[in-house]
Amino acid sequence: MFGWFRKRTARLQPEARWIVEAASDQLRVTDPAGTVQTLAKAELRGVAIETNDTGPWGADVWWLLFGADDHVAFAYPQGATGENVMLDYLSALPGFDFAAMSAAMGSADNALFPVWRKNDAR
């Protein structure tokens, strides 16, 4: 009876075709084309949220995870399948900046919000 609604809703959420996972030792993203990228948790050096002005029709919130070389290891859009597990992992990192995350979620501009950086000071 409501098949038309389910089909329309699926088209409105292409971000859900991205799959993110936080396994015991690595983080993983699979894009809609099936390309898999992984990052060992030990290699994670930073996390940022990038926003843009394409919403509500485009993917306007992206999570960027930085590897040991301080380059983006992979990125995925808000709304990705599995994002709650990934967010649980990322937000539990020591020093995660919830204020910056909140600012990013309220942004409709082209902006970058660093939310975590590994502190290598020993």
Side-chain angles (χ1 to χ4, degrees), residues 83-97:
E83 75 174 341
N84 288 339
V85 172
M86 184 70 83
L87 180 57
D88 287 346
Y89 172 75
L90 296 174
S91 65
L93 294 168
F96 186 88
D97 189 343

Side-chain angles (χ1 to χ4, degrees), residues 58-73:
D60 59 348
V61 176
W62 287 82
W63 288 83
L64 311 176
L65 279 67
F66 294 83
D69 61 0
D70 282 329
H71 289 95
V72 175

Side-chain angles (χ1 to χ4, degrees), residues 22-57:
S24 62
D25 62 341
Q26 71 177 358
L27 306 171
R28 174 194 307 249
V29 64
T30 305
D31 70 20
T35 302
V36 176
Q37 294 175 300
T38 61
L39 176 64
K41 286 181 176 178
E43 297 293 314
L44 181 63
R45 293 293 182 265
V47 180
I49 301 170
E50 183 176 48
T51 61
N52 62 63
D53 58 4
T54 65
W57 296 277

